[in-house]
Amino acid sequence: MGREMTPKQQSPMSYTVEQLVAVNPYNPDILPDLENYVNEQVSSQTYSLDANLCLLRLYQFEPDRMNTQIVARILIKALMAMPAPDFSLCLFLIPERVQMEDQFKTLIVLSHYLETARFRQFWDEAAKSRQIVEVVPGFEQAVQEYAIHVLSLTYQKIPRTILAEAINFEGPALDKFIEHQVATSGWLLEKGHDKSQLIVLPCNEFNHPELKKNTADSIPLQHITRIFPILS
């Protein structure tokens, strides 16, 4: 999930918005362009954190012009960018009185569940708040990708039940997802002691610490030999 749109993805309008943000980010006249750009990000499933932060900063100077629907969409897009800290960056620019509205309290709760890897609670809360999160296409898929990222940092092997809870898939949908990951992402399958299905995740420096070479803990031999005369 890219944080910025590539040049090939940019339309003439989006390129103009990026120019406005770079040249005159504190001009309130660009507010409508930035709001339209948020809606364009939603419809095209693209993302520009810089433009969204610029809009939130302008809302601080023009509080009467704040569009809370647009703000909610910005926060949802920021949630979709996890593990990047975009949600916190955006929330910092939103007044506390706005954060106390129900839709924003819900998004803050969802963010907390994701940050603490409480995926079951996240999916339960998201199911109760579909009218908030489903306005942004790709939300569920982005969270599933984040869940897989977290699992890959933690586990070498995961039971099927843990995976199902993390990505909110069961039955045939889960089978299809696993088959796709086996074919494209290097996942392997094996049987556990109780004959349950285990998913073997690709090795990385986090789930296989022995792969990580910590150069900070190693001292080149030539540096050691220079110390000997000093100690003698």
Side-chain angles (χ1 to χ4, degrees), residues 57-169:
R57 283 192 294 268
L58 286 174
Y59 279 152
Q60 289 186 315
F61 297 114
E62 302 281 339
D64 294 338
R65 299 176 66 180
M66 178 178 289
N67 184 326
T68 55
Q69 182 185 60
I70 293 292
V71 174
R73 293 182 176 189
I74 288 175
L75 286 179
I76 295 170
K77 294 292 285 187
L79 272 182
M80 295 166 62
M82 291 187 75
D86 299 11
F87 187 88
S88 297
L89 294 175
C90 293
L91 193 65
F92 181 76
L93 297 174
I94 299 172
E96 186 175 353
R97 61 174 178 80
V98 177
Q99 295 183 30
M100 295 306 296
E101 294 183 15
D102 287 343
Q103 63 176 336
F104 296 112
K105 287 195 290 187
T106 295
L107 292 174
I108 291 171
V109 169
L110 291 176
S111 171
H112 175 68
Y113 285 151
L114 288 181
E115 289 174 352
T116 54
R118 296 160 66 184
F119 295 115
R120 181 70 277 152
Q121 292 93 326
F122 170 85
W123 291 115
D124 289 344
E125 184 66 28
K128 294 185 292 185
S129 310
R130 291 188 181 278
Q131 74 282 4
I132 298 175
V133 298
E134 287 189 346
V135 298
V136 180
F139 177 77
E140 182 174 319
Q141 180 183 0
V143 173
Q144 288 168 338
E145 291 176 0
Y146 169 69
I148 295 301
H149 168 76
V150 172
L151 292 176
S152 70
L153 298 182
T154 310
Y155 296 99
Q156 298 177 6
K157 301 177 182 180
I158 53 174
R160 177 187 173 95
T161 53
I162 297 295
L163 176 64
E165 181 177 285
I167 64 174
N168 201 37
F169 274 164

Side-chain angles (χ1 to χ4, degrees), residues 6-27:
T6 62
K8 290 183 179 179
Q9 291 173 309
Q10 291 179 324
S11 66
M13 175 194 165
S14 65
Y15 184 72
T16 302
V17 169
E18 297 290 0
Q19 280 188 319
L20 290 174
V21 169
V23 174
N24 201 359
Y26 297 102
N27 182 356

Side-chain angles (χ1 to χ4, degrees), residues 128-213:
K128 294 185 292 185
S129 310
R130 291 188 181 278
Q131 74 282 4
I132 298 175
V133 298
E134 287 189 346
V135 298
V136 180
F139 177 77
E140 182 174 319
Q141 180 183 0
V143 173
Q144 288 168 338
E145 291 176 0
Y146 169 69
I148 295 301
H149 168 76
V150 172
L151 292 176
S152 70
L153 298 182
T154 310
Y155 296 99
Q156 298 177 6
K157 301 177 182 180
I158 53 174
R160 177 187 173 95
T161 53
I162 297 295
L163 176 64
E165 181 177 285
I167 64 174
N168 201 37
F169 274 164
E170 294 180 352
L174 181 59
D175 291 334
K176 185 176 181 180
F177 181 86
I178 293 174
E179 289 173 5
H180 177 74
Q181 296 297 323
V182 168
T184 62
S185 301
W187 288 18
L188 299 173
L189 301 178
E190 66 178 44
K191 292 290 184 181
H193 296 301
D194 56 356
K195 296 186 179 180
S196 62
Q197 188 179 63
L198 290 176
I199 294 94
V200 182
L201 300 175
C203 298
N204 61 65
E205 63 181 291
F206 298 100
N207 64 14
H208 287 72
E210 65 273 11
L211 296 179
K212 184 175 183 179
K213 183 179 180 181

